[in-house]
Amino acid sequence: MIIIYKHKKDMPQELEYVELNDVFFNQNTVSRLDDRAKKIVECVDGSKMISKYKIESKFNRVILDIDCLSTGCKTVLNVLYYPDKIFCMKECGDNALEMLYSLKQGRVYSEYAVIPFELEKITVMVSSETENRVIEEYEELKEWWENEK
């Protein structure tokens, strides 16, 4: 289940925070890609991984380097392969958000609401409480983001 941080002060200091998903993906995640990435690339970008470093674009089936993936897709892949880091999720579109929120583990940050309509259980860090809170509904998550101080 994904953990969401709304405030940087709530992030564990021992965990690295990554703001630039494109750069992190190109320098780190790309070397870890395996079969798990294929579904994400297809669902988020509509592209097909044809090798570790090449994709077939949904536009005209052109072969492109893997660094041409969207930032949202790169963010989901970063979270998948590095669940021990916290990634900024501000650049994710709805297609990436749905996949991101469905991951079994990982950590993300955004100070404003970034919510897909299809929502499974997620965990949020609440500043005023000692334990994390599990949220299962869109409206409940939206309320948390709007009201959490």
Side-chain angles (χ1 to χ4, degrees):
M1 176 174 1
I2 291 293
I3 297 174
I4 300 174
Y5 299 91
K6 179 181 177 185
H7 304 289
K8 287 186 177 178
K9 65 181 173 60
D10 294 332
M11 294 181 197
Q13 292 182 353
E14 67 274 10
L15 298 180
E16 179 183 353
Y17 170 62
V18 177
E19 181 89 24
L20 303 173
N21 281 291
D22 268 311
V23 173
F24 187 88
F25 176 87
N26 293 342
Q27 292 179 350
N28 300 283
T29 307
V30 71
S31 64
R32 292 189 172 192
L33 296 181
D34 56 23
D35 286 342
R36 297 179 295 167
K38 290 179 180 181
K39 178 182 176 189
I40 292 171
V41 169
E42 189 171 327
C43 289
V44 176
D45 279 2
S47 298
K48 180 180 176 184
M49 274 185 67
I50 56 173
S51 73
K52 190 171 186 171
Y53 301 107
K54 297 287 183 184
I55 58 171
E56 181 181 285
S57 172
K58 66 180 178 181
F59 306 108
N60 300 326
R61 302 179 72 176
V62 174
I63 305 302
L64 301 168
D65 290 332
I66 196 92
D67 68 334
C68 293
L69 291 171
S70 69
T71 303
C73 188
K74 290 178 179 181
T75 301
V76 176
L77 292 166
N78 287 344
V79 172
L80 175 69
Y81 289 97
Y82 291 91
D84 57 335
K85 298 185 185 310
I86 303 169
F87 293 92
C88 179
M89 61 188 271
K90 295 176 190 176
E91 295 180 294
C92 291
D94 288 341
N95 54 345
L97 287 174
E98 287 183 19
M99 184 64 64
L100 182 65
Y101 277 63
S102 72
L103 294 176
K104 300 300 179 213
Q105 61 179 351
R107 298 166 186 265
V108 293
Y109 163 79
S110 178
E111 71 267 9
Y112 56 83
V114 186
I115 310 170
F117 287 110
E118 295 295 322
L119 177 65
E120 295 184 22
K121 287 183 184 180
I122 56 107
T123 303
V124 295
M125 295 300 299
V126 181
S127 298
S128 60
E129 298 176 14
T130 56
E131 294 187 18
N132 304 342
R133 183 187 324 162
V134 175
I135 294 178
E136 298 183 47
E137 297 176 357
Y138 174 89
E139 289 299 326
E140 185 181 0
L141 181 57
K142 185 176 178 185
E143 182 179 323
W144 170 77
W145 237 306
E146 290 173 355
N147 297 322
E148 172 65 14
K149 305 241 183 288

